[in-house]
Amino acid sequence: MSRSLGVALVQHHATTLSDFEEHLRRSTAAHPEMTLWVYPELHLDTPVGSPDVERLARPLSDERFVRLAALAAELGIWLVPGSFYERAEDGRVHNAAVVFGADGDVHATYRKIFPWRPAEACAPGGEFTVFDMPGYGRIGLSICYDIWFPEHARHLAWDGADLILNLVQTNTSDRDQELAIVRGNAIMNQVWIASVNAAAPTGRGRSLVVDPEGATRMSSATAEQEILTAVIDFGQVEAVRAFGTAGVSRPWSQFRASDAPIDLPLYGGRITPTNWTPRRAETNA
C-alpha cells in the first residue's frame, strides 16, 4: 500500500487569523492534492515591532484554537498553523506548536525545548513529540532552534518519526547554516525533514524538504511568499535503513545486543545497544 503524502509548506510572512483563514481556503482550493499544510513558527503571533509575549500568550483552550480546528475540519486537511505563545496552567509562557486533524481534533502539541536564548524569553518545554497520521506514518515536531541540537532530531527519529516538521522564523544571517544542519540531521537519522521558514519581512525564507538520504526534494531560493508542494514517501525511510544511505551506511544497525554500553558523560547516561533501534508505530507496521 502506498504511503505517499502530499505536504504543503507555506512560506509566508506573519499574518492575522482572518487573513490566514482566507489565504488557506484559497490555497487548498488551488492544491487539492495536499493533505498536510504547515506554516512557519509564530505565524499568527508576530505583530509588527517587539512582541509582548505576556500579552500575546493564551491557553490552548482559547477561541482562536477552536476556529483553527473548525477550519481544518471544514477543509478536510491536517493543519500545523505554525507555533504560538501558549500560557500554561502554571503561568509560564511556551513557544508551542499544535496539530489539527481533518476530523477537527487536536492530535499533538509540542513546546519548544530549545528557545533561542537570550532573545527568546519563553520557558523551555520538556518532552519530545511525535504523532501518528494513520495510513502514512509518524511525524515529529521541531521548532526553529531545536534543529541546531542533534539530540532533538535523533530522539524524534528514535521515537519512530519518519518525517520531522521544523517550523522556523529565521530572519538572521545564519539561514545558510541552518540549511546544512537540516540536511545533516536528515542524513544522520535517515528521516525526511521539512523546514518551513517565514517569508520577508518576517523571515528569510529558503524553506526546503530533504529526503532520508539528504537529497533536497523541494526548496525555495528566495525570501518571497510561495507554497512549496512535495510528495513524501514514508516507505523510503524503511528502504534507506534497510539498504543503507547511497546503498552503503546503516547507522541504525550499528550495534549488536552483545556490545557493551557506551557511556555518555555529557548526559550522565549511555547508549544501550538493545535500545538503539527506532521504535515503530502500529500504523507503520
Side-chain angles (χ1 to χ4, degrees), residues 21 46 72 84 86 144 201 217 259 264:
E21 291 170 323
T46 306
F84 303 86
E86 176 216 355
C144 205
R217 292 298 192 91
D259 289 345
L264 301 174

Side-chain angles (χ1 to χ4, degrees), residues 24 29 87 122 158 169 179 181 189 195 211 232 243 248 274:
L24 184 57
R87 175 77 65 187
C122 293
W158 175 78
Q169 190 187 100
L179 303 184
I181 289 169
N189 295 294
S195 177
D211 76 11
I232 305 295
F243 293 98
V248 180
T274 53

Side-chain angles (χ1 to χ4, degrees), residues 128-144:
F128 299 95
T129 298
V130 297
F131 66 94
D132 294 318
M133 277 195 72
Y136 297 103
R138 268 198 144 168
I139 299 176
L141 296 174
S142 165
I143 300 177
C144 205

Side-chain angles (χ1 to χ4, degrees), residues 8-21:
L9 304 185
V10 185
Q11 181 171 291
H12 197 285
H13 60 72
T15 190
T16 64
L17 180 55
S18 296
D19 287 346
F20 172 86
E21 291 170 323

Side-chain angles (χ1 to χ4, degrees), residues 81-207:
S83 65
F84 303 86
Y85 292 118
E86 176 216 355
R87 175 77 65 187
E89 291 184 0
D90 63 5
R92 296 196 301 169
V93 175
H94 297 277
N95 185 342
V98 185
V99 179
F100 300 96
D103 55 6
D105 291 338
V106 173
H107 285 255
T109 59
Y110 165 67
R111 292 169 172 170
K112 187 176 183 179
I113 291 176
F114 296 103
W116 187 49
R117 290 173 169 167
E120 190 173 358
C122 293
E127 296 182 4
F128 299 95
T129 298
V130 297
F131 66 94
D132 294 318
M133 277 195 72
Y136 297 103
R138 268 198 144 168
I139 299 176
L141 296 174
S142 165
I143 300 177
C144 205
Y145 203 41
D146 286 334
I147 203 70
W148 285 72
F149 295 83
E151 300 84 356
H152 197 282
R154 174 56 52 86
H155 202 96
L156 293 177
W158 175 78
D159 209 18
D162 304 288
L163 165 65
I164 295 173
L165 301 178
N166 179 226
L167 318 180
V168 182
Q169 190 187 100
T170 293
N171 58 13
T172 49
S173 58
D174 55 355
R175 182 58 178 164
D176 193 55
Q177 284 77 11
E178 284 184 342
L179 303 184
I181 289 169
V182 168
R183 290 194 64 218
N185 274 307
I187 294 167
M188 289 186 293
N189 295 294
Q190 297 178 316
V191 294
W192 289 87
I193 300 182
S195 177
V196 55
N197 192 16
T202 311
R204 293 199 176 196
R206 300 182 70 190
S207 302

